[in-house]
Amino acid sequence: MNRRKFIQVAAVSVGGLTLPLRSLPAENDIPKEILKPASMITPNDKFYVLQIGEVPVLKAEHWRMGITGLVEKPIMLNYEDITGMESVTAMRTLKCIGDPIGEEQMSNAMWTGVPLRNILDKAGVKAETKVVVFRCADRYHTAVPIDRALREEVLLAYKMNGEPLPTDHGFPVRLLNPGHYGTKNPKWIMNIMLAKSHVGYWEKEGWDPVARVKLATVIGTPGNDAIIQAGTTYTISGAAFDSGNHGGIERVEVSIDDGMTTSVDDVGSWEATEIWGEGSPLTWYLWKYEWQVPDTPGEVEISARAIANDGLTQKGTGFDAEPAGAVGYHFVRAEIVKG
Ligand SMILES: Nc1nc2c(c(=O)[nH]1)N[C@H]1C(S)=C(S)[C@@H](COP(=O)(O)O)O[C@H]1N2
Ligand SMILES: [Mo]
């Protein structure tokens, strides 16, 4: 471990707001290049964790999952029934609907599971079915429209990065429902019920029942209030994600405009970044940009936006996460200092 020195930095004034005094690492302790996210795959112990309450600890040997409701014949499956079926291994990114832009409730893993439709086929889906309802061990429940649920890429996953699904991430099985925020990716599934309608846990609280992932870009480095050496080359990095809803990410651009123009769409100068990591439209795209830091000290505002394969350009407005997922540019403020 490096010995870290800290210096006190005087209050910074940003757009009329005075930010409080804070401790910042001394200049020469700041690595010049840190990619964030640093790798395509998020290790299991670094993957974000989110749920409504206590994490239920389930035992595979006691676990049973019923498929009930509008089925030809209700069935009960155990852990071996699932793991014995033909499986698919695929990389998928998960993102929380409540993720304020720039927070880190987004991670990517390699998952193994069984296409949900192969499991539903075992019970037989009745024609009048409109939704698939998932009931979970922590009393969370949510529904997915039947046409979305029957897509081939929807998986009941039981492995994460080659390991049995960790308890935090839904052991023994969780849904991976690409195109949709975390709310539609239930963990610790106990029962799957085919029904005509259902109001899920979060929808009762006013969250969007459709929960399609919106095109968004986060800046991982620099972090807000970073101190950057004047006249150096600094690597700005981050991730963009649309969960396949716009065909994946075509390119990512950054703008360093000293806070003057980035809040206005299509004004300011946008620089192309390099995509250095990608899996499929269903995963995040990792990008970086070698920035020639100006020689003049001062404050800068850095923002990033993505352009999707279907031509959609991310818009700068709409910062609120609620109730249907955040859009808008993530921007960070950094301070250029003379070394
Ligand atoms: N059973 C259950 N599943 C759940 C939730 C929950 O509270 N309970 N939260 C959802 C939300 S809001 C998110 S963002 C993802 C997070 O998945 P992770 O903890 O594996 O990252 O789980 C989803 N699945
Ligand atoms: Mo979430």
Side-chain angles (χ1 to χ4, degrees), residues 96-303:
C96 184
I97 192 168
D99 191 9
I101 291 170
E103 294 293 312
E104 297 185 68
Q105 291 161 351
M106 175 162 70
S107 307
N108 181 58
M110 191 68 88
W111 310 83
T112 300
V114 177
L116 177 68
R117 66 185 187 187
N118 296 354
I119 290 170
L120 297 183
D121 273 354
K122 283 180 176 283
V125 178
K126 282 197 170 164
E128 60 265 40
T129 302
K130 293 275 190 297
V131 293
V132 183
V133 182
F134 298 86
R135 293 188 183 280
C136 310
D138 62 344
R139 311 187 72 126
Y140 184 75
H141 54 96
T142 192
V144 175
I146 186 71
D147 57 317
R148 300 293 291 168
L150 292 177
R151 290 175 301 151
E152 124 179 80
E153 58 269 31
V154 176
L155 302 179
L156 265 191
Y158 57 85
K159 274 189 174 181
M160 183 179 182
N161 292 331
E163 289 168 23
L165 208 56
T167 296
D168 278 346
H169 299 288
F171 185 87
V173 298
R174 70 110 33 98
L175 191 71
L176 289 177
N177 180 19
H180 297 267
Y181 287 114
T183 50
K184 297 292 168 181
N185 293 256
K187 310 191 272 189
W188 314 292
I189 298 168
M190 300 301 288
N191 187 264
I192 297 178
M193 186 181 76
L194 306 191
K196 286 193 172 158
S197 71
H198 180 80
V199 180
Y201 183 96
W202 283 120
E203 288 89 275
K204 282 198 179 122
E205 314 277 319
W207 290 85
D208 178 21
V210 181
R212 291 287 282 262
V213 172
K214 302 216 164 107
L215 178 62
T217 309
V218 295
I219 299 168
T221 48
N224 228 358
D225 299 326
I227 292 183
I228 297 172
Q229 290 293 310
T232 58
T233 303
Y234 184 94
T235 306
I236 301 171
S237 67
F241 184 51
D242 83 326
S243 202
N245 290 327
H246 301 281
I249 308 300
E250 208 254 313
R251 62 182 197 278
V252 176
E253 299 172 340
V254 298
S255 176
I256 300 147
D257 276 328
D258 211 15
M260 296 309 290
T261 56
T262 50
S263 60
V264 181
D265 286 335
D266 304 320
V267 179
S269 61
W270 291 93
E271 307 293 335
T273 72
E274 180 195 334
I275 304 278
W276 67 270
E278 62 179 291
S280 79
L282 306 185
T283 67
W284 62 15
Y285 290 66
L286 304 182
W287 56 269
K288 64 186 172 96
Y289 175 72
E290 302 290 316
W291 177 37
Q292 294 309 312
V293 184
D295 286 328
T296 37
E299 198 161 89
V300 285
E301 201 172 80
I302 303 169
S303 49

